[in-house]
């Protein structure tokens, strides 16, 4: 065990049994592993891409975009295929760091998964096949998000080509997001990387209501969310937990978007008392 891991494994004054269990799960996880210097800090697996009898095309989300991104980068000479880092699949114990047993058990229902990914025909598919063709790729992406934080600290930057399931919280999935990889990534970083503060910069077109609910009362996490207020998910309760929200309208021009983003990014650099919401 490294010195940082040993420190992370030490008992924490005032910790509850649930806190201790979460900590032990993080320390015992295999998702953090040493990546050779010959590898680039880019995490991806061909297992990320979802192909499911064509059913995946019934949702506007492009479930094969991750592979296309990597193929584009390698074709253009920006990335060598053999330098990409292959992550491990997040295990049930890893997922329990954030998710409840009840939530994970609910994913054994194809009906429940169909509701989360908004593809009704999945209800008719045997769950073992849903696990294999849909949830397994998601769990690989979760492993990638968690590993990316470690790589970013070591290399100065890192990218997980997949992940970013910002509509999923500890107890509820939605919007094609079945696992809360952002929350998991941050919880692992708090324990294993001795990180004390985190800023989430969410630039997806949709509000990131999942991580907002998970970190609602955690002063260590500052959330900047820039999104179209006129589209899904309309989660007004979660909006209360955004430290800085930039609400846009449909049709916002590129120059206006970048100008608002530039102004927004200047605010947290002068604001260090993140504990107050």
């Amino acid at each position: 065990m490294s010195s940082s891991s040993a420190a992370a494994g030490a008992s924490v004054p005032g910790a509850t049994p649930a806190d201790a269990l979460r900590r032990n799960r993080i320390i015992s996880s295999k998702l953090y592993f040493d990546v050779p210097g010959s590898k680039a800090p880019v995490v991806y697996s061909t297992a990320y891409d979802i192909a499911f009898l064509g059913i995946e095309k019934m949702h506007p989300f492009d479930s094969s975009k991750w592979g296309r991104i990597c193929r584009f980068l390698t074709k253009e000479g920006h990335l060598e295929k053999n330098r990409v880092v292959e992550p491990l699949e997040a295990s049930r114990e890893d997922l329990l760091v954030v998710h409840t047993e009840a939530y994970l058990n609910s994913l054994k229902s194809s009906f429940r998964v169909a509701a989360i990914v908004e593809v009704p025909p999945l209800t008719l598919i045997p769950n073992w096949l849903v696990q294999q063709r849909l949830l397994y790729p998601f769990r690989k992406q979760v492993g990638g998000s968690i590993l990316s934080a470690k790589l970013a600290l070591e290399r100065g930057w890192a990218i997980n080509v997949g992940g970013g399931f910002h509509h999923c919280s500890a107890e509820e999935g939605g919007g094609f997001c079945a696992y809360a990889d952002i929350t998991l990534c941050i919880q692992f970083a708090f324990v294993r990387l001795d990180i004390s503060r985190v800023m989430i910069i969410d630039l997806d077109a949709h509000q990131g209501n999942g991580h907002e609910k998970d970190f609602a009362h955690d002063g260590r996490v500052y959330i900047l969310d820039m999104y179209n207020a006129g589209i899904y998910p309309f989660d007004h309760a979660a909006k209360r937990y955004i430290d800085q929200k930039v609400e846009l309208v449909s049709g916002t021009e590129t120059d206006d978007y970048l100008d608002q983003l530039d102004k927004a990014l200047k605010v947290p650099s002068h604001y260090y008392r993140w504990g107050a919401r």
Side-chain angles (χ1 to χ4, degrees):
M1 180 182 290
S2 66
S3 59
S4 60
S5 294
S11 60
V12 178
T16 66
D19 292 333
L21 180 57
R22 168 187 286 184
R23 197 173 185 85
N24 287 337
R25 282 182 169 132
I26 293 174
I27 295 301
S28 301
S29 174
K30 297 179 180 179
L31 294 179
Y32 273 12
F33 56 86
D34 292 331
V35 176
S38 59
K39 296 284 188 178
V42 177
V43 183
Y44 168 73
S45 169
T46 55
Y48 282 12
D49 296 344
I50 298 170
F52 201 171
L53 306 174
I55 294 176
E56 72 280 359
K57 299 184 185 300
M58 299 183 69
H59 192 282
F61 188 91
D62 183 354
S63 62
S64 63
K65 65 179 181 180
W66 306 291
R68 291 194 294 104
I69 289 170
C70 279
R71 286 192 294 274
F72 171 80
L73 292 174
T74 53
K75 181 180 178 181
E76 295 296 314
H78 302 301
L79 180 67
E80 295 177 35
K81 189 175 180 179
N82 62 358
R83 297 193 66 209
V84 174
V85 179
E86 171 89 19
L88 297 175
E89 173 193 4
S91 68
R92 186 177 179 86
E93 285 297 302
D94 294 324
L95 297 170
L96 284 169
V97 166
V98 165
H99 291 296
T100 62
E101 289 273 7
Y103 176 73
L104 294 182
N105 287 337
S106 76
L107 299 182
K108 295 177 182 179
S109 161
S110 294
F111 175 82
R112 181 69 188 122
V113 177
I116 290 171
V117 300
E118 301 168 345
V119 180
L122 278 181
T123 301
L124 306 175
I125 306 297
N127 189 258
W128 67 267
L129 192 55
V130 173
Q131 293 285 335
Q132 180 187 87
R133 303 297 291 274
L134 179 63
L135 295 180
Y136 169 70
F138 283 161
R139 290 193 293 269
K140 284 284 280 189
Q141 292 185 51
V142 171
S145 293
I146 291 171
L147 178 61
S148 293
K150 176 179 182 291
L151 271 174
L153 190 64
E154 294 171 349
R155 309 285 185 88
W157 67 276
I159 296 172
N160 180 27
V161 178
F165 303 130
H166 67 165
H167 295 307
C168 187
S169 64
E171 298 182 354
E172 183 180 17
F176 213 80
C177 301
Y179 300 113
D181 68 316
I182 296 172
T183 304
L184 281 157
C185 172
I186 292 173
Q187 293 295 353
F188 269 69
F190 281 149
V191 174
R192 295 283 290 267
L193 303 179
D194 294 328
I195 299 296
S196 59
R197 295 183 188 178
V198 170
M199 178 165 65
I200 297 173
I201 302 175
D202 192 335
L203 303 181
D204 187 277
H206 306 89
Q207 176 199 350
N209 57 325
H211 59 73
E212 288 158 7
K213 287 184 282 192
D214 283 344
F215 294 111
H217 306 293
D218 194 329
R220 299 171 297 176
V221 180
Y222 182 98
I223 299 174
L224 190 169
D225 198 351
M226 186 168 177
Y227 57 92
N228 185 337
I231 59 176
Y232 177 90
F234 304 108
D235 194 331
H236 299 289
K239 286 184 183 181
R240 294 178 298 168
Y241 309 122
I242 303 174
D243 294 283
Q244 186 184 178
K245 61 176 178 287
V246 182
E247 297 189 327
L248 304 174
V249 297
S250 297
T252 299
E253 296 289 337
T254 300
D255 288 344
D256 184 25
Y257 179 95
L258 293 175
D259 182 58
Q260 291 196 56
L261 175 59
D262 186 54
K263 291 177 181 177
L265 290 172
K266 291 176 181 177
V267 174
S269 64
H270 300 289
Y271 180 65
Y272 295 103
R273 293 188 299 173
W274 294 350
R277 289 188 184 272

